[in-house]
C-alpha cells in the first residue's frame, strides 16, 4: 500500500532561487527541512537566472534552417531545455552531499507528455505512478521544469514561466499541494516597488490570482494558475530566501495560499491592484459601419494569434463609418498594425493609429460579485487625481481601465488607498 498522498509535497524553485551554488545549497536546506518533517518531496527547478536568455541567444545566433527544410523549433527546445537539466543535477548532487536520497528525473523519464507545439507546448498528461512509487521508497525526485516530451519522444518546452506550470502539473498527478519558492514572500495587494504600503495577503482565490497573473502581476505564470484551478491544487507562494531554524524547521503559516474561494473566511471587496505596461492601443479610424466589419477585423487578428483585450467602438465624424479601438500586447502591436494595413482595402478603413504609451490598471476582488459601488470608487479615485481613462473592460471580479502610461503609478497608489488596501 502506498503512503497517503497528503504526505506528499511538490516544491518549485525559480531562477533567482537557483542563481548560483550558494542559493542552490539554501534551496537544498529548505527541501531537507520538509523531508525532516515527514513529507515525501518532489522538487521542480528552473534554470539559473539569465541562463535561458543566453541559450535562446545561442539558437538565434545559429540561424534558421535552410530554405526547403522545416523550422528548427524542435532543436531550439533541445537547447533551451538544457538549463533546467543543469540545475536539477546540481540540486540532486547537493542533496546527496547532505546525506539525502535524491535523484534527477528528466521530463521524458516521468514522463511529462505534451503536444508538439515546440517552444509553447501544452501539457496533456503526467502519469504519476512511477514517480510516486519512487517517492514512496524515500527518494527525493528533482525535476527540471519548463520541459516535456511529445508522444513521439521529442523534447518540448512550455514557454516562459513554464516551470510554474510543470510544478502544478506534477502536483496534480501526485494529488498533493504545491509550494512555489520565489524571490518574494507572497502575493501582495499591489507591487511593493510602486506602493510601499502594499500588504501581503494570507489567502487568495484561484479566480483572483488568475486575474492578477493575466493583468500584470508577475508572481505566477497564468497557465499554472489555470491548471491549479482546474485540478484544485492548493498552491502556496513563499520566499526562497528563508533559512530553517536551529532545529531544521521552516516558519509556520508563511507565504500566500492560493485556494478555493470557499476556503477564504473573510472575503475582501478588492484584494489587489495591478498594472500592466505591456499594452498598446490600436485605433481604426473611419471603419465601414457594415455589420460584419468588426468580425472581419478580429477574425484576421485571431488567425494571426494576436490576443485582443479591450474593445471600444464609437461614432466617426464621417457618415456611415465608426472608429474601432482595441488593445493588445506591445510585442503584438506591430504585427497587428501590419496586418491591418495589408488588408486596409478589404476591411475598409481610412487610417490606423498605434499608441504604445498606455498602461492597464486593474482592481480585482471576489467581493465585487456582492457589493455595489466598486466602479464608482475607482472612477472617483482616478478623477480626484486627474487621471483620464481611454477604455474599460470588466468581469465579475475585476475592472480594468486603460490610461496614459505616465499616470500608471499614480493611479495604482490612488486605487490602493481608495479601497483601503493599505489598512489590511
Amino acid at each position: 500500500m502506498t503512503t497517503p498522498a497528503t504526505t506528499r509535497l511538490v516544491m518549485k524553485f525559480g531562477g533567482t532561487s537557483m542563481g548560483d551554488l550558494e542559493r542552490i545549497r539554501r534551496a537544498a536546506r529548505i527541501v531537507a527541512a520538509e523531508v525532516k518533517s515527514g513529507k515525501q518531496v518532489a522538487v521542480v527547478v528552473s534554470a539559473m537566472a539569465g541562463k535561458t536568455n543566453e541559450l535562446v541567444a545561442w539558437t538565434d545566433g545559429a540561424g534558421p534552417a535552410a530554405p526547403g527544410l522545416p523550422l528548427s523549433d524542435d532543436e531550439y527546445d533541445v537547447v533551451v531545455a538544457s538549463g533546467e537539466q543543469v540545475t536539477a543535477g546540481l540540486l540532486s548532487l547537493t542533496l546527496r552531499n547532505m546525506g539525502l536520497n535524491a535523484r534527477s528525473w528528466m521530463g521524458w523519464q516521468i514522463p511529462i507528455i505534451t503536444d508538439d507545439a515546440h517552444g509553447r507546448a501544452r501539457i496533456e498528461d503526467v502519469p504519476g505512478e512511477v514517480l510516486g512509487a519512487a517517492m514512496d521508497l524515500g527518494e527525493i525526485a528533482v525535476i527540471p521544469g519548463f520541459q516535456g516530451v511529445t508522444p513521439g519522444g521529442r523534447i518540448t518546452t512550455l514557454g516562459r514561466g513554464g516551470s510554474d506550470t510543470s510544478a502544478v502539473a506534477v502536483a496534480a498527478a501526485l494529488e498533493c499541494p504545491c509550494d512555489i519558492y520565489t524571490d518574494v514572500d507572497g502575493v501582495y495587494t499591489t507591487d511593493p516597488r510602486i506602493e510601499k504600503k502594499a500588504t501581503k495577503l494570507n489567502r487568495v482565490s484561484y479566480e483572483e490570482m488568475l486575474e492578477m497573473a493575466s493583468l500584470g502581476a508577475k508572481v505566477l505564470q497564468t497557465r499554472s494558475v489555470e491548471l491549479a484551478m482546474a485540478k484544485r491544487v492548493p498552491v502556496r507562494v513563499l520566499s526562497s530566501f528563508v533559512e530553517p531554524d536551529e532545529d531544521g524547521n521552516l516558519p509556520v503559516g508563511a507565504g500566500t495560499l492560493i485556494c478555493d474561494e470557499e476556503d477564504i473566511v473573510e472575503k475582501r471587496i478588492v484584494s489587489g491592484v495591478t498594472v500592466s505596461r505591456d499594452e498598446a492601443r490600436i485605433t481604426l479610424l473611419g471603419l465601414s459601419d457594415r455589420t460584419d466589419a468588426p468580425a472581419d477585423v478580429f477574425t484576421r487578428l485571431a488567425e494571426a494569434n494576436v490576443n485582443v483585450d479591450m474593445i471600444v467602438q464609437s461614432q466617426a465624424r464621417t457618415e456611415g463609418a465608426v472608429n474601432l479601438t482595441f488593445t493588445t500586447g506591445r510585442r503584438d502591436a506591430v504585427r497587428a498594425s501590419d496586418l491591418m494595413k495589408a488588408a486596409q482595402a478589404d476591411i475598409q478603413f481610412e487610417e490606423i493609429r498605434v499608441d504604445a504609451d498606455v498602461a492597464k490598471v486593474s482592481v480585482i476582488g471576489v467581493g465585487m460579485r456582492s457589493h455595489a459601488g466598486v466602479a464608482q470608487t475607482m472612477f472617483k479615485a482616478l478623477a480626484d487625481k486627474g487621471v483620464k481613462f481611454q477604455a474599460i473592460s470588466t468581469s465579475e471580479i475585476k475592472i480594468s481601465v486603460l490610461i496614459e502610461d505616465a499616470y500608471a503609478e499614480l493611479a495604482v497608489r490612488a486605487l490602493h488607498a481608495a479601497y483601503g488596501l493599505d489598512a489590511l
Side-chain angles (χ1 to χ4, degrees):
M1 179 181 294
T2 61
T3 305
T6 51
T7 65
R8 293 175 180 166
L9 175 68
V10 172
M11 308 171 71
K12 183 262 176 178
F13 291 90
T16 52
S17 308
M18 294 280 105
D20 54 37
L21 286 175
E22 184 48 48
R23 292 186 179 185
I24 290 173
R25 292 187 188 101
R26 181 191 289 125
R29 291 192 290 271
I30 295 172
V31 172
E34 293 289 11
V35 173
K36 177 178 177 291
S37 73
K39 293 186 178 70
Q40 298 175 355
V41 175
V43 189
V44 176
V45 294
S46 296
M48 290 182 175
K51 177 55 67 174
T52 301
N53 288 338
E54 180 184 26
L55 295 170
V56 169
W58 287 355
T59 65
D60 290 342
L69 292 177
L71 296 175
S72 299
D73 291 346
D74 54 342
E75 300 301 343
Y76 165 93
D77 279 354
V78 171
V79 175
V80 299
S82 65
E84 282 76 12
Q85 181 171 324
V86 170
T87 49
L90 287 173
L91 181 58
S92 297
L93 283 169
T94 304
L95 290 166
R96 287 185 180 184
N97 290 343
M98 296 168 64
L100 297 169
N101 179 20
R103 179 208 146 170
S104 62
W105 290 73
M106 299 299 101
W108 57 268
Q109 293 173 312
I110 294 174
I112 297 175
I113 301 170
T114 74
D115 60 22
D116 60 358
H118 290 281
R120 58 186 186 282
R122 298 189 74 87
I123 296 173
E124 295 183 341
D125 190 25
V126 183
E129 295 82 4
V130 176
L131 187 63
M135 294 170 65
D136 287 340
L137 295 174
E139 180 180 289
I140 302 170
V142 184
I143 303 162
F146 178 60
Q147 67 175 251
V149 62
T150 69
R154 294 293 286 166
I155 292 173
T156 57
T157 61
L158 310 181
R160 288 308 177 96
S163 292
D164 286 348
T165 306
S166 301
V168 173
V170 171
L174 296 173
E175 299 180 343
C176 70
C178 179
D179 285 355
I180 306 283
Y181 282 86
T182 182
D183 54 358
V184 295
D185 61 348
V187 179
Y188 278 72
T189 49
T190 195
D191 188 338
R193 294 169 297 182
I194 296 176
E195 175 52 82
K196 294 180 180 179
K197 295 180 180 179
T199 55
K200 184 170 68 68
L201 299 166
N202 291 324
R203 294 188 176 217
V204 176
S205 72
Y206 292 119
E207 291 87 349
E208 288 172 320
M209 192 67 240
L210 185 57
E211 292 283 14
M212 289 180 184
S214 65
L215 294 169
K218 304 297 185 185
V219 179
L220 289 175
Q221 199 252 10
T222 305
R223 281 166 57 191
S224 70
V225 184
E226 289 176 342
L227 184 59
M229 183 166 63
K231 300 295 186 180
R232 288 300 186 259
V233 174
V235 176
R236 198 163 50 130
V237 177
L238 300 142
S239 171
S240 62
F241 297 103
V242 298
E243 286 281 0
D245 62 22
E246 293 180 358
D247 296 323
N249 299 314
L250 293 170
V252 177
T256 299
L257 179 66
I258 300 157
C259 57
D260 277 311
E261 182 181 338
E262 290 74 21
D263 295 330
I264 301 175
V265 177
E266 191 172 329
K267 297 178 178 62
R268 300 166 293 274
I269 299 175
V270 169
S271 293
V273 181
T274 63
V275 59
S276 172
R277 286 188 155 114
D278 180 29
E279 305 291 330
R281 182 186 64 189
I282 298 176
T283 303
L284 303 180
L285 298 170
L287 175 69
S288 169
D289 69 350
R290 70 182 196 276
T291 56
D292 65 339
D296 189 7
V297 170
F298 295 120
T299 296
R300 293 172 187 268
L301 293 169
E303 289 175 348
N305 292 318
V306 175
N307 291 322
V308 172
D309 182 18
M310 299 175 169
I311 302 171
V312 177
Q313 182 172 298
S314 59
Q315 192 62 41
R317 294 181 180 179
T318 305
E319 187 176 349
V322 296
N323 297 330
L324 182 65
T325 298
F326 58 89
T327 63
T328 187
R330 287 184 182 176
R331 292 186 64 182
D332 285 337
V334 173
R335 186 154 51 101
S337 176
D338 290 344
L339 185 66
M340 293 295 99
K341 289 175 182 176
Q344 183 170 0
D346 294 331
I347 297 173
Q348 298 176 31
F349 64 89
E350 296 173 3
E351 182 185 351
I352 183 170
R353 293 180 182 174
V354 180
D355 181 7
D357 294 323
V358 294
K360 180 168 59 181
V361 176
S362 308
V363 295
I364 299 129
V366 292
M368 290 186 188
R369 293 191 181 118
S370 55
H371 288 79
V374 179
Q376 182 269 339
T377 300
M378 182 178 202
F379 298 137
K380 185 178 186 304
L382 294 176
D384 288 346
K385 297 296 183 181
V387 179
K388 297 179 180 179
F389 57 87
Q390 304 166 8
I392 307 168
S393 67
T394 66
S395 75
E396 270 196 316
I397 65 167
K398 67 96 174 174
I399 305 173
S400 298
V401 293
L402 192 72
I403 63 174
E404 288 185 40
D405 183 68
Y407 292 98
E409 294 189 5
L410 174 64
V412 168
R413 289 191 289 268
L415 294 171
H416 195 268
Y419 290 105
L421 295 177
D422 50 0
L424 291 181

